[in-house]
Amino acid sequence: MRYRDDASLDPGGVQDRRGGGGRTVALGGGGLGIVGVLVLVLFQVLGGGPDGSSTRSAAVFDQLGQGQSVGGAELASSCRTGADANARTECALVADIESVQDYWTAVLGNGYTATDTVFFSGGTQTGCGAASSGTGPFYCPADQLVYVDLSFFDELRTRFGAEGGSFVNAYVLAHEYGHHVQHLLGTTDAVPAGAAGPDSASVRLELQADCYAGTWANHATTVPDDSGAPLIAEITADDVERALDTAGRIGDDFIQTELGNGSADPDSYTHGTSEQRRHWFSTGYETGDPRQCDTFSAATL
């Protein structure tokens, strides 16, 4: 994946809470409504559990982990151009966020409301309660923010065995913004809390977000930035294969079998199998049409 060297980046879509020794904390009690690439399943696999300490509040800035801060001065000074995105992971993520939101603005018009991604390290407070890096990237409907500890992208390679790469990172963020789109469209509200199982509404929600990520990827090299030219210059076949490899490694069956107790429990699935995740990302990527992402009407996932 390559960004246009002379493109201007806008870090305004990122709240940077890294640094300062934020606490490592666990997500609180149930019913928080968080949705993400693998947040609930990975949380269980890594040994997390409810601590009952969280509160639902949109006043995120009053709940930051000790020592953390909200800002973006460093990103604003170091992530200025597409050349910076080609050189640094965090700058590439800035570019991805801008491209994804430009895409959904073009698709939904006034129906799309831009939102920020929060970079954090270790732990942070959210409108959905306290969160740790162990949850993986996620979207919180309560404050309409995307959260990611950038160490997760290393974890994909070292723990999950994924090939990784800049397009993989972009796929992860595009999935989370897919959840933002679902929230804006009211789709998320129709999913019962705690839904699980191979045909559950939770699985369908996650697979639709994968498909939405694929539709963005289809258009990524043609979506114009503020200058009128595409911010992303190239996505290669290898990039797509790496994304499909990652999708296969964050399926419920792979995580439970390879990173859990060695066996899969379909009744506990919340995100879909590896095959399903590859299929729905591919559906979005090959068609480029969000209307083809109606996983809720699909007879077969």
Side-chain angles (χ1 to χ4, degrees), residues 1 8 13 34 73 77 101 109 123 196-197 202 238 240 254 256 275 287:
M1 184 176 184
S8 295
I34 57 175
S77 63
Q101 299 210 88
S202 176
D238 179 65
V240 176
F254 180 91
Q256 292 182 5
E275 181 180 357
T287 67

Side-chain angles (χ1 to χ4, degrees), residues 186-238:
T187 309
T188 308
D189 294 337
V191 177
D199 295 315
S200 66
S202 176
V203 166
R204 293 175 186 271
L205 190 77
E206 294 296 336
L207 296 179
Q208 185 178 66
D210 277 337
C211 187
Y212 283 165
T215 66
W216 161 76
N218 174 283
H219 296 278
T221 57
T222 59
V223 175
D225 62 10
D226 291 342
S227 73
L231 194 159
I232 295 174
E234 181 182 35
I235 294 173
T236 67
D238 179 65

Side-chain angles (χ1 to χ4, degrees), residues 152-169 171-172 236-250 254 278:
F152 170 76
F153 299 118
D154 294 327
E155 187 89 348
L156 274 178
R157 294 189 296 271
T158 59
R159 183 173 176 83
F160 290 79
E163 296 177 7
S166 58
F167 184 66
V168 168
N169 301 348
Y171 154 55
V172 169
T236 67
D238 179 65
D239 290 327
V240 176
E241 285 301 318
R242 286 171 178 264
L244 291 172
D245 167 72
T246 297
R249 294 175 185 275
I250 55 178
F254 180 91
R278 287 191 296 261

Side-chain angles (χ1 to χ4, degrees), residues 103 171 207-219 240 244 247 275-295 298 300-301:
Y103 167 69
Y171 154 55
L207 296 179
Q208 185 178 66
D210 277 337
C211 187
Y212 283 165
T215 66
W216 161 76
N218 174 283
H219 296 278
V240 176
L244 291 172
E275 181 180 357
Q276 289 169 333
R277 301 202 70 165
R278 287 191 296 261
H279 168 73
W280 284 101
F281 174 81
S282 295
T283 297
Y285 181 69
E286 291 168 4
T287 67
D289 183 1
R291 293 171 296 183
Q292 303 305 312
C293 297
D294 186 5
T295 55
T300 302
L301 292 175

